[in-house]
Amino acid sequence: MSDLTLELAKQLIALPSITPQDAGCQELIGARLRRLNFSIERFDYQGVSNLWARYGSEGPLLVFAGHTDVVPAGPEQAWTFPPFEPTEHAGFLWGRGAADMKGSLAAMLTAVEAFLTVPEPKQGSIAFLITSAEEGPGELGTPIVLEQLAARNETISWCIIGEPTSQHVVGDMIKVGRRGSLTGKLSIIGKQGHVAYPHLADNPIHLACPALYELSKIVWDKGNAHFQPTSLQMVNIAAGTGASNVIPGELTLQFNLRYSPMLTAEKIQQTIHHLLDRHGLTYRMEWHHSGMPFYCPPADLVQACQQAIAAVVGIRPELSTSGGTSDGRFIAATGCQLLELGLCNDTIHQIDEKIKISDLTSLHQIYLAILKRLLC
Ligand SMILES: [Zn+2]
C-alpha cells in the first residue's frame, strides 16, 4: 500500500496547483473514488474547484477534508529539485505540496481504498471534502460545499483534516481545536493643524497614546488546559502627512486578536469600544471576524485517533490548539467532531518542502486504523 501512496503523492505534486488552481488534482482523486463507487459532486465556484465525494448513505459519516492547492514555489532556482517534479532523495519526497498537503491527500485516499477492499462488515459512510482554495480565498472553498450539505440536511459526524500538524515524526501532534481570529481597523479622528499652533489643532497621536497603552495591557483571559491565553497584537499604526510642521488629522491602527473559546468576538468588541469611549475618543472602527474558535473534546474521534497513532508509531500524540486558522473553523461550526492530523510541518511553505517517505507510509496506516476503529 505504501508504494501506492507514494505514487499518488508524486502524481499530485506534479500538477502545479497554485492557489486557487486545482490543475487536475480533483479529477485524479475523483476518478479513483469513482472506481470505489463513491458518488462525485463538484461545486466549483468563481475559479475555485470543490469536490464532495460520498460512499454510503447511512450515518455515521466520516469525512476526510483537505486542499489540493499549494502556495507559490518562490524562486525555482533556489530549489534543490524542481518544485513540481516530485523527487525521491535520501529517504525524503521533495516537492511543493508534499507536506501541505498532497501527501496527506494521497494517504487518505489509499487508506480508504485499502479499507473498502477488505471484505469486513462495515457501518456508516465515508466522504471527501476537497477544495483548491485553502491557501487563498478560503471562503470560496469549503463553505460553499458546506452550504450545499446544509441545504439537504447532510450531516457530518466526524471530520479529519489532513493539514500538516506533526512536528518531528508523524502523529506526534494533532490539532483538536484552533483559536478564533478577529481583526480591528481603527481610525482615531483629531484635527489637522500647524505644530506651532497646537491650540488650533487636536493631535490624534496624543489622543490615542493612553488608550492604546491600556489596550495593549488588557489581560483577556489566562487560557485553559487546552488553549493558550488570548492575545491582542497591534500590527500597524500610521499618522502624519510626511511634513515635520503638520499635526495630522487622523491616526489609523490595525490589530488582530487570537482568542480562546472562553471569549466571543462580541465580548471583545464591546470591551474595546467601551475602552475607546471611556477615553473620549472620536473614532471609526471596522471589524473583520475571520474565524470562530473551536474545540473537539476527547470523545470517540480523538480516542480512535490516539489509538491508531499508538498502534502504528507507538507514541501518544500531543493534543494541541496552537497555530493559525484552518478550514476546520468552517467545518467544526456544523457541530461535528473534528481534528487535524497530517505530516510534519517543518518545511511547509518553504523552498525545498519535503516529507519523510516513511512518514507517508505511517500516515496511510494511521488513517486506515482510524477507519477500522470508527466504521467496523
Ligand atoms: Zn494546508
Side-chain angles (χ1 to χ4, degrees):
M1 271 309 143
S2 60
D3 286 352
L4 288 176
T5 308
L6 179 60
E7 278 319 304
L8 180 56
K10 288 165 79 172
Q11 285 176 33
L12 290 169
I13 292 167
L15 299 168
S17 52
I18 295 164
T19 192
Q21 295 169 72
D22 174 69
C25 294
Q26 292 179 21
E27 230 10 81
L28 181 64
I29 292 168
R32 294 274 284 253
L33 291 173
R34 206 173 276 117
R35 265 185 258 157
L36 295 169
N37 289 324
F38 273 72
S39 65
I40 311 291
E41 291 176 275
R42 289 285 293 261
F43 299 113
D44 296 359
Y45 187 69
Q46 293 188 14
V48 168
S49 303
N50 297 310
L51 176 131
W52 174 253
R54 178 166 178 155
Y55 176 89
S57 55
E58 303 297 309
L61 169 61
L62 169 61
V63 173
F64 285 104
H67 61 89
T68 50
D69 57 322
V70 298
V71 295
E76 296 211 5
Q77 68 280 8
W79 286 69
T80 305
F81 306 104
F84 298 107
E85 289 176 24
T87 305
E88 290 175 57
H89 177 73
F92 287 83
L93 173 62
W94 304 58
R96 172 56 86 226
D100 188 9
M101 52 168 278
K102 290 175 168 175
S104 298
L105 290 177
M108 288 171 172
L109 204 140
T110 58
V112 168
E113 286 174 340
F115 179 69
L116 291 179
T117 45
V118 175
E120 273 172 12
K122 300 172 180 82
Q123 57 145 350
S125 303
I126 305 168
F128 281 80
L129 195 175
I130 311 287
T131 178
S132 70
E134 201 275 342
E135 303 284 11
E139 61 286 352
L140 305 181
T142 298
I144 299 297
V145 180
L146 294 175
E147 261 173 41
Q148 300 289 332
L149 301 183
R152 58 196 195 201
N153 289 322
E154 202 167 342
T155 53
I156 299 170
S157 313
W158 305 297
C159 178
I160 298 170
I161 301 184
E163 287 293 353
T165 54
S166 302
Q167 300 194 100
H168 307 294
V169 61
V170 71
D172 63 0
M173 181 180 278
I174 62 178
K175 305 274 177 168
V176 293
R178 297 273 185 165
R179 289 180 294 174
S181 175
L182 177 67
T183 296
K185 283 185 184 169
L186 171 67
S187 302
I188 294 177
I189 316 298
K191 185 179 179 212
Q192 186 175 320
H194 196 298
V195 292
Y197 301 93
H199 56 289
L200 299 177
D202 203 7
N203 191 329
I205 302 175
H206 295 190
L207 295 171
C209 280
L212 300 191
Y213 177 73
E214 205 181 304
L215 185 61
S216 74
K217 290 292 176 198
I218 294 178
V219 178
W220 293 95
D221 56 42
K222 296 201 161 71
N224 62 25
H226 315 294
F227 282 85
Q228 296 168 264
T230 295
S231 152
L232 178 148
Q233 294 297 315
M234 300 185 193
V235 297
N236 196 10
I237 188 164
T241 62
S244 64
N245 60 354
V246 178
I247 293 169
E250 192 169 318
L251 173 145
T252 58
L253 170 79
Q254 191 170 336
F255 57 88
N256 176 270
L257 287 111
R258 295 302 161 108
Y259 69 97
S260 76
M262 299 156 82
L263 281 164
T264 62
E266 293 70 33
K267 176 89 179 83
I268 293 167
Q269 289 167 351
Q270 266 175 19
T271 304
I272 293 176
H273 283 291
H274 183 70
L275 185 154
L276 297 171
D277 293 341
R278 199 157 34 74
H279 282 266
L281 298 170
T282 305
Y283 64 91
R284 292 189 304 273
M285 179 77 90
E286 268 176 55
W287 293 104
H288 178 62
H289 189 209
S290 55
M292 297 256 292
F294 65 90
Y295 173 66
C296 179
D300 42 3
L301 178 62
V302 171
Q303 282 159 10
C305 188
Q306 285 172 317
Q307 289 163 359
I309 290 169
V312 174
V313 286
I315 53 177
R316 195 168 170 77
E318 182 183 338
L319 308 182
S320 167
T321 61
S322 63
T325 60
S326 75
D327 272 4
R329 68 192 191 270
F330 303 123
I331 304 171
T334 68
C336 65
Q337 293 180 41
L338 177 143
L339 59 79
E340 299 171 53
L341 161 63
L343 294 157
C344 292
N345 55 26
D346 53 339
T347 62
I348 59 172
H349 295 208
Q350 295 183 15
I351 303 283
D352 283 347
E353 179 175 350
K354 58 183 175 297
I355 50 169
K356 251 190 224 135
I357 292 171
S358 58
D359 275 353
L360 193 59
T361 309
S362 299
L363 188 60
H364 161 88
Q365 289 167 348
I366 291 168
Y367 287 151
L368 179 57
I370 295 172
L371 279 160
K372 286 179 179 164
R373 276 177 171 77
L374 290 174
L375 297 180
C376 280

